[in-house]
Amino acid sequence: MQPRIARQPARDQDGPRADDRADDAAGLSAELAAVVAGARRRALRDGDRQIDTAHLLHSLLEADPQVRAVVGTSAQLARLLGYLVQRSIGYGLRWQSSVEDSGAIAVVPRPARHGGEAKDAPGWSPAAAAAMEDARRRALHRGEHRATGIDLLAALVGDPQSRAVEVLERAGITAPGLRARIESGTAEVADGGAVC
């Protein structure tokens, strides 16, 4: 008699998923590829049609200590994470039926996709797609082949109309101030020091 234990699909077993490996091959550090995978899971769990800049910011804050060091104090981080958590219980519900388009790139009829995503995976909002491309450009400008969390954070705050900036500012963290800390403190943060 055959055992009744169902086999798990390959994508649910340990190890990176195919779309996570594709993100890494598309110019992302391993850490940032994990951030993208986390944002994708968050969008699916929240029932959102697209990964937006707030999903990316939330996943980035949870995964990257260098990003947390640049963003602000413990109190600011707690307030910011509180707003991000609220998106699934009310704060972000008005976003679920709309496309995040800050004007960074033209709105496309179907969501943009990155890195070999599965057909049922959420697409990318135009603003999130633009932020991912900007993060890759920032890394290349530095002479690196892989974008980091700080590259993505800089790209997210570079779009003043994005959902990420809206949440940051509601938490009392101004985009221009954060951008200045990123630009002046990247080398210190990379060495493990906190820049606040």
Side-chain angles (χ1 to χ4, degrees):
M1 181 166 216
Q2 295 279 347
R4 291 189 165 193
I5 299 173
R7 294 180 58 104
Q8 291 183 345
R11 71 182 205 134
D12 293 337
Q13 295 174 355
D14 291 338
R17 294 179 3 204
D19 50 348
D20 296 341
R21 288 189 304 271
D23 286 331
D24 185 49
L28 305 178
S29 66
E31 295 81 10
L32 195 51
V35 165
V36 168
R40 182 178 298 116
R41 285 188 301 273
R42 188 173 304 286
L44 279 170
R45 185 191 66 224
D46 292 348
D48 293 332
R49 295 181 310 139
Q50 297 179 323
I51 299 168
D52 65 23
T53 59
H55 291 122
L56 289 170
L57 178 63
H58 196 164
S59 188
L60 191 58
L61 288 168
E62 288 179 339
D64 195 324
Q66 293 177 336
V67 166
R68 289 191 301 271
V70 172
V71 167
T73 66
S74 296
Q76 289 172 313
L77 285 169
R79 184 175 169 109
L80 176 58
L81 285 169
Y83 276 115
L84 288 165
V85 167
Q86 289 178 22
R87 81 171 284 147
S88 63
I89 58 172
Y91 175 66
L93 291 180
R94 65 186 164 86
W95 291 340
Q96 284 185 339
S97 62
S98 64
V99 173
E100 178 188 31
D101 177 35
S102 62
I105 61 175
V107 177
V108 291
R110 289 180 48 183
R113 297 197 185 276
H114 279 275
E117 293 171 2
K119 186 177 177 181
D120 60 344
W124 291 76
S125 74
M132 293 301 296
E133 292 305 316
D134 187 34
R136 289 182 183 102
R137 279 193 299 273
R138 287 173 182 275
L140 290 172
H141 181 70
R142 262 196 344 272
E144 300 291 330
H145 297 289
R146 304 266 188 243
T148 66
I150 295 294
D151 292 320
L152 180 55
L153 181 63
L156 291 173
V157 300
D159 183 353
Q161 302 301 312
S162 72
R163 291 176 181 170
V165 169
E166 180 182 342
V167 175
L168 282 163
E169 291 186 349
R170 283 185 182 253
I173 302 166
T174 67
L178 182 52
R179 191 169 30 254
R181 287 195 301 277
I182 292 167
E183 297 303 325
S184 68
T186 302
E188 295 171 40
V189 171
D191 293 334
V195 178
C196 293

